[in-house]
Amino acid sequence: GGDFEVTMRLGVKHPSQKALAPLVRESATASVSMAQGGLIGPGTLSPVISGFCFLMPKTGAKPVVDAGAGPVACEVETAGGFTLSASASVQPVPAAPPTGPTVTLPLRELCYARSGDKGSAANIGLIARRPEYLPVLRHALTAERVKVFFLPDCK
């Protein structure tokens, strides 16, 4: 349920920049695969790297604030949070061709998009702007049509 709503910021210091290189490398993939706005990508190596997100029970986090005079406990409400994901109760919508008259529109008028990549693999997620657009989007945007659109880069 709602007991996993925590963001953690991690700063790492080490006398050797070479020792921090694996952290930079591993953080780069997280910046494209985690929720947008939730991660500060490391960019290039600097003396202090920060930005690491993961899930843990809110009750397990004991926040403190240190403004230079030592840590001070900071009480944070842990009750409540998000309800269960609506995804758990979603029924699949089958693909269906359009019925009746049609018009040609830019895809962005029918859906939002998000993309990411890992090495030589990429993904594109589309979110219908209105529920009634979903069957037609599923009908029109097959893997084969997307592949043809991205040729010759897509294998």
Side-chain angles (χ1 to χ4, degrees), residues 15-137:
S16 168
Q17 286 190 353
K18 185 176 180 182
L20 297 175
L23 178 62
V24 172
R25 185 177 60 251
E26 294 301 318
S27 295
T29 58
S31 66
V32 296
S33 62
M34 293 183 172
Q36 299 302 306
L39 179 74
I40 301 168
T44 58
L45 194 59
S46 62
V48 176
I49 300 173
S50 67
F52 182 86
C53 302
F54 61 93
L55 294 175
M56 67 179 277
K58 290 189 289 186
T59 55
K62 304 300 180 197
V64 296
V65 175
D66 189 342
V72 176
C74 178
E75 294 298 319
V76 175
E77 179 62 46
T78 59
F82 296 108
T83 57
L84 289 176
S85 171
S87 298
S89 62
V90 170
Q91 296 297 316
V93 175
T99 58
T102 62
V103 295
T104 300
L105 295 170
L107 186 58
R108 68 178 168 267
E109 290 187 26
L110 300 174
C111 59
Y112 302 98
R114 175 176 191 278
S115 65
D117 66 273
K118 290 183 181 175
S120 62
N123 63 58
I124 302 171
L126 301 177
I127 303 162
R129 291 182 184 264
R130 299 183 60 136
E132 58 266 26
Y133 298 165
L134 186 55
V136 174
L137 289 170

